[in-house]
Each structure stands twice: as C-alpha cells, then as structure tokens.
Amino acid sequence: MKLIGSTTSPYVRKVRVVLAEKRLECQFVEENVWADDTTIARSNPLGKVPCLVTEGNEAMFDSRVIVEYLDTLSPIGRLIPPSGRERAEVKTWEALADGVMDAGVLWRMEATWPKRSDTERSAAWMERQRGKVLAGLAAMAQGLGSKPYCSGIHLSLSDIAVGCALGWIGFRFPELDWRGEHPALGQLHDKLMQRPSFADTRPR
C-alpha cells in the first residue's frame, strides 16, 4: 500500500498513527497539494490528502474511510468496535475531532491564503471558525472528564482522532491556551505522545 499525504496534515497523521498501531506496512509519499506541480488529482479527483493507494492500485480517500478500512486488515489492537453503541461513541469522537480540525483549517486558510489580500479576509468568518474550535475543545474536555481514555480504559480511534486534533491545534495556533483551560486534554495528549506512533508523526 501507498499513503499519499503531508506531514503537517492532521488527517494524514490520523492515518499514519493507525498504520503504526496496527503494525501495517505502507509506503509514505509526501505531497504538497498546494504546489503548482502537484499530482494528487491522479489519485484523488478532489485534490485532497490523505489518499491510500491499495496493492490493487485502487485509490481510497477521506481519513475516516481509510482508518476504518485499515482497522479491518489486522486483528492487532482493534481501534473501532464492530457495532452497537460503542461503535457509535467512537465514531462520534472522531467526528468531533475532525470537526475541530475542519474549523481550524478554514480559520487558518482565511487568515493565511496568499491569493487573498488582507482587505478580502473576513474577520467575522475567522471568529466563527475560532468559536467552533474552542467549543469543540470544551466538548472534548467534558467528554473525557477523568477517564484515562476518551472511550473507556483502552486506546481507540477516539483517542487517535482527538490526539491528532490537539497536536495540530498546538502546531498551528500556539497562542491558544487549550492546555491551561483543559488540563485533562493536556494529560491525554502527553500520554499519547509517549507512544511511538504519535512521537514519530509529530507535525513539522
């Protein structure tokens, strides 16, 4: 298999962490989708990463689709419950974490996209996305509470998604004091960073 992605993308990192936790071999091909010479459209017509190219040369995209597929390839460290309420809980955590990242990406793009001048940037739009990020972080903290992990007592996709979101927010928005406001999230992130799967995929 081949994973096309960027080392700064939190969605790509989510897939890379799952690959490591599942002990699956996969070639990582770095791609800058914003570069003029990007070739991502050959694999994903939407021009986005991550994109997983299987051994049969079939392309699979959207991190949620990819990680669910990867979880079925090995019985090692099952990350997504097979059915029922437990599965819905894990997928809801993933949706929350992805939603925080979605809002953060929109906020950052509005603030930094070089093809838009400062007079064209919308402060109201950026504030709206910032509000979603802050609300999402607060919801994560409330849902985590004093539990060792987001969904019970073992690592799951819930924690991987949340950990990638926290890492990216810290990377792109260091001015946000989410650790000070939500100490439990900081403790969870520190615990996750002790795992090679997280330490080796730190955004850079």
Side-chain angles (χ1 to χ4, degrees):
M1 296 185 295
K2 178 173 67 177
L3 177 65
I4 304 172
S6 163
T7 56
T8 59
S9 166
Y11 310 99
V12 173
R13 188 186 189 194
K14 180 170 57 164
V15 175
R16 294 177 71 196
V17 170
V18 169
L19 282 165
E21 291 291 341
K22 301 291 291 186
R23 303 179 191 175
L24 295 169
E25 294 292 331
C26 186
Q27 178 189 3
F28 181 61
V29 179
E30 195 161 357
E31 179 78 18
N32 179 6
V33 300
W34 298 102
D36 292 337
D37 60 349
T38 182
T39 59
I40 188 61
R42 297 177 187 174
S43 302
N44 183 356
L46 300 177
K48 300 170 67 176
V49 291
C51 179
L52 183 74
V53 181
T54 67
E55 295 177 354
N57 209 34
E58 297 178 349
M60 191 178 302
F61 33 88
D62 188 278
S63 64
R64 297 188 208 183
V65 174
I66 295 172
V67 298
E68 182 145 0
Y69 169 69
L70 294 176
D71 198 38
T72 68
L73 297 185
S74 168
I76 297 174
R78 194 64 185 260
L79 299 171
I80 307 173
S83 62
R85 186 171 180 177
E86 291 81 7
R87 176 184 175 83
E89 179 185 355
V90 168
K91 298 299 289 183
T92 299
W93 270 105
E94 184 185 19
L96 175 60
D98 280 8
V100 167
M101 296 187 295
D102 292 345
V105 168
L106 291 174
W107 174 13
R108 184 170 184 273
M109 288 302 301
E110 183 70 13
T112 64
W113 194 40
K115 294 186 178 180
R116 178 170 294 171
S117 68
D118 288 342
T119 58
E120 294 174 317
R121 304 189 197 280
S122 171
W125 175 259
M126 289 187 284
E127 184 59 30
R128 178 177 176 84
Q129 303 311 319
R130 180 179 182 275
K132 292 181 180 182
V133 169
L134 297 180
L137 291 171
M140 288 178 185
Q142 182 177 4
L144 176 61
S146 59
K147 295 182 296 183
Y149 291 100
C150 295
S151 299
I153 59 173
H154 301 292
L155 179 81
S156 72
L157 182 60
S158 302
D159 309 289
I160 293 173
V162 168
C164 290
L166 294 175
W168 186 80
I169 292 298
F171 174 61
R172 290 302 192 191
F173 301 100
E175 70 277 11
L176 291 183
D177 185 24
W178 59 268
R179 284 179 172 272
E181 295 184 13
H182 308 297
L185 291 182
Q187 293 170 9
L188 174 66
H189 185 260
D190 291 343
K191 179 165 57 178
L192 293 173
M193 285 299 296
Q194 294 176 16
R195 305 179 75 92
S197 60
F198 271 88
D200 295 343
T201 58
R202 183 193 301 268
R204 53 181 174 80

